């Protein structure tokens, strides 16, 4: 059985994870050096296994750092389509180091857990997919269709130099499908087939600063900023209020989040005010419509108050059509999970942010699935060895079924 073949590789997988974690892969935008060292290691693993094709599609970011992407393929009996598994190489920074019990950049093993930054997000998938393919090679069977593996950069910061860059520079097959093992729960019982769109924006109100006792000489940007934000909040909630039970929560969300510091003392009327919103939008709505509403409300406030209001889009990822539940990659995964784990997985939608949304936006079927404890981005991040091995078995099975 192919699953026995995967099981035999367990120790090698743990060793590979131990080699991977010290090759730090943090985005230059948050103080790291990018993914180059990690990518070279991944490429060497892939070369050892022996692929029919290994390509590098390396981007260079605005700070001048190389942002590598590796694309590897094994041809099947019928090379007319490819099932791709995608893992991202980059990690978030360690955060507050005092909260870690061990060195975040040295894998530390205790019982079934490997601790370290990037173990579960997304090392588990990276190592799991590579060794699933190694097991298939060692088992000596040619897969029915092509096996594809991709290690991408820049996922944590929005994929500009990762998945988005690859989509602009690589031709995928019309019938290709994608599995992104980058989110899930402890049972592996959720298959994500839909994501909300994401819009982050800021509202900057420019008024006139004055003494706290002489508001008549100024224009209080803070008051206008609060009123404006509350009205936008109210209008968006009222207008875009449909429900879709695929998602948790089943509605679009519009949250005022960050607030920039204005004046440092109490007795000054602030001349500027900046507030941010994080909004997550159901696939049925259009971000352009939402931006038009925001713009209209801002114009109304400008004419009433005479303040200048600037709206900036910080992040935008338009909602895309969910992957159809009848797609082979979805039904194969469901079947495999029923047969091997005796579970009946649930199809879900999430608040957005994985590379699957980019793929769906280009019309490709993409599912997000993994078995993991949800400790991504937290101190003492870990992955369970048992999850890594058991998910690798699912990867091998789905590669051979597709
Ligand atoms: Zn991730």
């Amino acid at each position: 059985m192919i699953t026995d073949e995967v099981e035999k590789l367990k120790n090698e997988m743990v060793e590979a994870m131990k080699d991977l974690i010290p090759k730090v892969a943090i985005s230059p935008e948050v103080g790291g050096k990018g993914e180059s060292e990690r990518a070279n290691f991944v490429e060497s693993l892939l070369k050892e296994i022996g692929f029919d094709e290994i390509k590098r599609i390396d981007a260079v970011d605005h700070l001048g750092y190389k942002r590598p992407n590796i694309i590897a393929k094994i041809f099947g009996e019928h090379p007319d389509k490819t099932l791709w598994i995608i893992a991202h190489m980059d990690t978030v920074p360690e955060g507050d180091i005092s909260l870690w019990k061990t060195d975040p950049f040295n894998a530390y093993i205790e019982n079934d857990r490997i601790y370290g930054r990037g173990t579960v997000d997304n090392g588990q998938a990276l190592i799991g997919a590579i060794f699933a393919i190694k097991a298939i090679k060692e088992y000596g069977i040619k897969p029915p269709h092509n096996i594809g593996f991709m290690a991408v950069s820049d996922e944590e910061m929005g994929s500009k130099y990762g998945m988005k860059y690859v989509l602009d520079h690589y031709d995928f097959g019309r019938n290709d499908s994608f599995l992104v093992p980058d989110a899930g729960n402890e049972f592996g019982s959720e298959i994500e087939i839909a994501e909300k769109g994401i819009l982050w924006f800021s509202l900057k109100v420019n008024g006139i600063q004055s003494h706290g006792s002489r508001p008549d000489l100024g224009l209080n940007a803070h008051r206008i900023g609060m009123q404006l934000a509350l009205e936008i909040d109210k209008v968006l909630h009222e207008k875009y209020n449909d429900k879709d039970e695929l998602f948790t929560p089943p509605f679009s969300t519009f949250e005022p989040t960050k607030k920039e510091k204005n004046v440092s003392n109490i007795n000054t009327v602030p001349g500027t005010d900046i507030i941010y919103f994080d909004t997550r939008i159901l696939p049925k709505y259009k971000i352009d419509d939402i931006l038009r509403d925001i713009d209209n409300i801002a114009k109304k406030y400008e004419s009433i108050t005479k303040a200048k209001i600037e709206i900036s889009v910080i992040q935008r990822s338009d909602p895309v059509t969910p992957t159809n539940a009848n797609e082979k990659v979805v039904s194969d995964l469901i079947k495999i999970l029923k047969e091997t784990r005796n579970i009946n997985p649930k199809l879900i939608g999430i608040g957005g942010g994985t590379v699957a949304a980019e793929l769906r936006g280009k019309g490709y079927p993409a599912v997000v699935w993994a078995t993991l404890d949800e400790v991504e981005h937290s101190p003492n991040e870990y992955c369970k060895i048992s999850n890594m091995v058991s998910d690798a078995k699912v990867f091998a099975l789905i590669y051979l079924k597709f």
Side-chain angles (χ1 to χ4, degrees):
M1 287 255 286
I2 184 65
T3 48
D4 298 328
E5 211 63 42
V6 173
E7 185 69 38
K8 281 186 211 159
L9 298 174
K10 179 175 163 179
N11 290 337
E12 275 186 59
M13 293 170 82
V14 172
E15 287 308 311
M17 182 70 92
K18 278 163 72 179
D19 290 338
L20 182 80
I21 298 306
K23 293 168 181 71
V24 179
I26 294 169
S27 166
E29 283 160 86
V30 286
K33 295 200 181 83
E35 302 83 352
S36 285
E37 205 195 343
R38 183 163 293 194
N40 293 340
F41 171 67
V42 170
E43 195 176 355
S44 71
L45 278 180
L46 298 178
K47 280 184 177 154
E48 264 172 47
I49 292 169
F51 279 74
D52 295 319
E53 202 176 275
I54 299 179
K55 276 191 183 155
R56 289 274 295 242
I57 296 190
D58 294 355
V60 176
D61 68 18
H62 61 287
L63 297 169
Y65 286 86
K66 188 194 274 185
R67 311 300 298 273
N69 297 287
I70 307 169
I71 300 180
K73 213 174 193 179
I74 290 172
F75 297 118
E77 293 287 353
H78 309 278
D80 56 325
K81 63 174 186 176
T82 306
L83 175 64
W84 297 91
I85 296 182
I86 307 175
H88 66 86
M89 294 183 283
D90 60 308
T91 76
V92 294
E94 68 279 17
D96 184 349
I97 190 79
S98 71
L99 298 174
W100 284 81
K101 290 188 206 121
T102 61
D103 179 354
F105 301 111
N106 265 313
Y108 174 80
I109 300 172
E110 194 176 69
N111 302 319
D112 189 31
R113 293 178 177 187
I114 311 176
Y115 290 88
R117 175 58 83 227
T119 47
V120 77
D121 186 14
N122 199 211
Q124 180 180 315
L126 187 90
I127 302 292
I130 292 172
F131 281 83
I133 295 165
K134 182 167 185 175
I136 290 169
K137 285 287 276 192
E138 290 185 352
Y139 200 51
I141 26 169
K142 204 171 165 81
H145 295 94
N146 302 336
I147 284 177
F149 171 73
M150 246 184 288
V152 295
S153 285
D154 197 30
E155 192 275 339
E156 299 292 357
M157 302 296 290
S159 294
K160 185 174 177 193
Y161 306 110
M163 196 67 241
K164 288 181 188 171
Y165 191 85
V166 172
L167 277 166
D168 285 343
H169 292 86
Y170 186 82
D171 287 324
F172 292 104
R174 212 164 26 90
N175 300 314
D176 290 3
S177 286
F178 297 82
L179 170 59
V180 182
D182 196 18
N185 67 10
E186 59 180 314
F187 310 109
S189 60
E190 288 177 348
I191 299 175
E192 186 253 275
I193 55 164
E195 286 176 37
K196 291 175 185 169
I198 302 178
L199 172 67
W200 294 352
F201 64 90
S202 68
L203 304 166
K204 182 177 183 193
V205 178
N206 300 293
I208 301 164
Q209 184 173 309
S210 68
H211 192 279
S213 67
R214 292 303 305 272
D216 53 309
L217 299 177
L219 181 58
N220 193 330
H222 183 40
R223 178 182 290 113
I224 299 165
M226 288 191 290
Q227 288 168 335
L228 171 70
L230 284 174
E231 176 150 348
I232 286 172
D233 185 77
K234 184 165 172 279
V235 168
L236 297 183
H237 277 103
E238 280 170 4
K239 185 162 175 191
Y240 302 94
N241 63 352
D242 269 12
K243 283 193 168 178
D244 183 340
E245 296 296 339
L246 187 62
F247 292 90
T248 309
F251 40 80
S252 303
T253 59
F254 305 97
E255 291 300 304
T257 52
K258 182 172 159 179
K259 175 84 181 69
E260 220 132 278
K261 179 179 179 294
N262 47 29
V263 289
S264 358
N265 50 310
I266 297 172
N267 56 346
T268 295
V269 170
T272 57
D273 188 78
I274 304 172
I275 191 162
Y276 297 80
F277 273 75
D278 177 342
T279 77
R280 311 283 170 136
I281 297 138
L282 287 180
K284 65 174 301 181
Y285 294 125
K286 287 195 172 60
I287 286 183
D288 280 339
D289 293 338
I290 291 169
L291 282 172
R292 199 171 310 120
D293 288 334
I294 296 168
D295 203 47
N296 286 338
I297 299 168
K299 284 208 176 82
K300 187 179 94 182
Y301 272 78
E302 278 189 333
S303 79
I304 298 171
T305 65
K306 306 294 174 236
K308 258 318 297 127
I309 298 166
E310 297 162 50
I311 301 160
S312 304
V313 173
I314 316 286
Q315 211 216 124
R316 172 177 181 159
S317 166
D318 288 78
V320 294
T321 311
T323 291
N324 194 307
N326 299 320
E327 285 291 343
K328 188 164 164 54
V329 64
V330 183
S331 56
D332 281 358
L333 184 55
I334 293 173
K335 255 186 235 144
I336 289 166
L337 291 172
K338 275 184 187 159
E339 284 165 15
T340 61
R341 296 192 188 177
N342 199 22
I343 53 173
N344 211 343
K346 189 174 162 223
L347 300 179
I348 63 157
I350 64 164
T354 80
V355 298
E358 304 302 330
L359 293 157
R360 290 184 194 125
K362 302 273 181 196
Y364 295 109
V367 300
V368 179
W369 171 85
T371 312
L372 46 82
D373 288 358
E374 293 175 66
V375 289
E376 304 100 317
H377 303 196
S378 62
N380 306 304
E381 174 184 348
Y382 65 87
C383 87
K384 282 187 172 160
I385 297 168
S386 52
N387 286 339
M388 178 167 68
V389 176
S390 141
D391 279 11
K393 290 175 185 172
V394 173
F395 299 158
L397 288 168
I398 199 166
Y399 270 139
L400 294 178
K401 203 177 174 76
F402 188 68

